[in-house]
Amino acid sequence: MRTLLIVDDEILLADGQRDMLAGAFAGRLKVLCRYSAAAAVEVASSEPVDILLTDINMPNVTGLELHRAVQGLCPACRVIYLTGYSDFDYAR
């Protein structure tokens, strides 16, 4: 079973995504949810993460920095960025 890690400092958004995806992929995808980059790195340090779904604009560590950290621990991890921020240029 593949593991999806959702990381967003907005707890309601992260929990909603977790609930929706866990229901849609029940039995096929293990869905984990964390609310900070530090907590996400702890997860990636202890188990393989196949897919990282992360907000880009988070306090302390951005989703871009988190991407690099998780890929250092799980090189095959695929990353999906999610943001509500209107200026997407910083992601490029």
Side-chain angles (χ1 to χ4, degrees), residues 21-85:
L21 293 168
F25 295 99
R28 296 181 291 157
L29 189 64
K30 179 179 179 182
V31 180
L32 304 175
C33 186
R34 297 296 182 271
Y35 311 112
S36 71
V41 170
E42 285 181 29
V43 169
S45 297
S46 64
E47 66 181 279
V49 174
D50 300 296
I51 306 165
L52 173 65
L53 173 61
T54 183
D55 186 8
I56 293 178
N57 191 21
M58 296 186 293
N60 303 320
V61 177
T62 69
L64 301 170
E65 295 165 326
L66 175 60
H67 174 175
R68 286 189 287 276
V70 169
Q71 283 214 306
L73 297 165
C74 307
C77 181
R78 299 293 188 171
V79 179
I80 300 168
Y81 294 114
L82 186 64
T83 188
Y85 195 63

